[in-house]
Amino acid sequence: MVNLEWIQDPGWQYLRLTDDVALKEQAMRKFDNKTHCWVPDPAEGFIIADISIVEGNNYTLTLPNGETRKVNKDETQEINPAKYEKTEDMANLTFLNEASVLHNLRQRYYGMMIYTYSGLFLVFINPYKMLPIYTDSVANMYVNRRRSEVPPHLFAVSDLAYRNMMGEKENQSMLITGESGAGKTENTKKVISYFARIGGAPKEQKSKKSVRFSDQIVLFAVILFYPFKTPQYILFLKQ
């Protein structure tokens, strides 16, 4: 059950769809996974086509612009059921193909839900604008929470790394990588600030010299450069 305070938070709409909105969007979907398929397109990458005629492994497709195209079944990719629209973890997709991954990321980005899981990985798409998803109230949602309990977010991955370090007494690392302008630097800053928040002393203990952030966690940031000058940020958490 989702906390009511979370839903009322200004940042929640950029983190997860409410159940009623999700069901409404699924019902409004104009294509079906049994009668439509993905087909390559030079402009869009992939487009949805109506399967008009099936002749063995050959399809006659009706494209969105009304044109028809004959293709082999192997040239198409299957569409996922409507319940997977804007799914938070693409590892759950029935058909995990390139077209479905791109479609899911695109649809979530249209709704400004910029974080999406792909199994153990977290995918981020730069919105190029500030969103209210890094506030103290949002950070509090992720403290000591399992990944399945909260929407995809950098804070969820950060909290898991911190808890693993403290619980298993093992050093942890996080890799933040992407193209230039993807948002690596800003996300690295958010990770460090989250660690400082949860690893620092409680407010009532801040006046005591015996409890300091540096006593609990040491954070190292290393920048590696590829031949094409694209940096990666590797964060090491060490007790």
Side-chain angles (χ1 to χ4, degrees):
M1 192 71 177
V2 178
N3 191 314
L4 182 59
E5 292 183 2
W6 294 2
I7 299 177
Q8 295 174 341
D9 190 282
W12 186 256
Q13 62 178 312
Y14 304 107
L15 298 174
R16 174 176 287 172
L17 294 176
T18 58
D19 291 341
D20 56 335
V21 172
L23 290 173
K24 183 178 179 180
E25 290 191 1
Q26 293 169 15
M28 292 176 61
R29 199 172 81 162
K30 298 180 180 179
F31 52 91
D32 184 79
N33 58 302
K34 296 181 180 179
T35 59
H36 293 73
C37 64
W38 293 108
V39 62
D41 180 77
E44 296 292 330
F46 294 91
I47 55 176
I48 297 171
D50 184 7
I51 304 175
S52 303
I53 302 175
V54 179
E55 298 175 324
N57 287 330
N58 296 314
Y59 289 167
T60 298
L61 306 177
T62 301
L63 304 182
N65 60 7
E67 296 181 0
T68 60
R69 181 190 301 178
K70 292 186 177 181
V71 300
N72 187 277
K73 180 180 179 181
D74 293 338
E75 299 177 57
T76 67
Q77 296 185 22
E78 295 182 275
I79 291 176
N80 281 277
K83 67 179 182 178
Y84 293 114
E85 280 293 299
K86 297 183 178 179
T87 185
E88 294 182 350
D89 190 345
M90 294 183 293
N92 295 328
L93 293 174
T94 301
F95 306 113
L96 186 57
N97 50 49
E98 183 180 0
S100 296
V101 168
L102 292 174
H103 171 73
N104 190 69
L105 291 175
R106 178 180 293 175
Q107 293 304 310
R108 286 181 61 82
Y109 186 74
Y110 287 159
M112 282 290 100
M113 290 179 286
I114 59 176
Y115 288 109
T116 307
Y117 289 125
S118 181
L120 297 177
F121 298 92
L122 178 66
V123 180
F124 165 81
I125 302 180
N126 197 337
Y128 292 100
K129 64 179 181 180
M130 293 299 296
L131 299 177
I133 58 174
Y134 305 106
T135 60
D136 289 345
S137 58
V138 170
N140 288 335
M141 299 178 189
Y142 291 86
V143 177
N144 293 325
R145 297 281 180 179
R146 291 191 297 270
R147 200 179 85 158
S148 59
E149 295 180 306
V150 286
H153 199 292
L154 192 67
F155 291 162
V157 179
S158 303
D159 193 79
L160 177 60
Y162 180 81
R163 284 188 287 110
N164 284 345
M165 183 190 68
M166 301 303 292
E168 300 174 9
K169 307 301 180 182
E170 294 286 343
N171 298 337
Q172 305 290 312
S173 63
M174 296 176 62
L175 172 64
I176 301 177
T177 184
E179 297 292 333
S180 178
K184 299 181 296 298
T185 302
E186 289 304 315
N187 276 277
T188 301
K189 292 178 182 177
K190 297 298 188 295
V191 171
I192 294 173
S193 66
Y194 186 81
F195 288 149
R197 177 185 180 85
I198 64 174
K203 290 182 179 180
E204 61 272 15
Q205 296 181 355
K206 283 186 177 180
S207 60
K208 299 181 180 180
K209 295 182 180 180
S210 59
V211 181
R212 297 177 303 170
F213 172 66
S214 58
D215 289 336
Q216 300 183 44
I217 179 174
V218 179
L219 181 67
F220 299 91
V222 180
I223 303 177
L224 302 179
F225 288 88
Y226 279 154
F228 298 105
K229 304 299 182 182
T230 300
Q232 296 181 100
Y233 292 86
I234 303 180
L235 304 180
F236 295 98
L237 282 71
K238 184 177 181 181
Q239 286 193 310

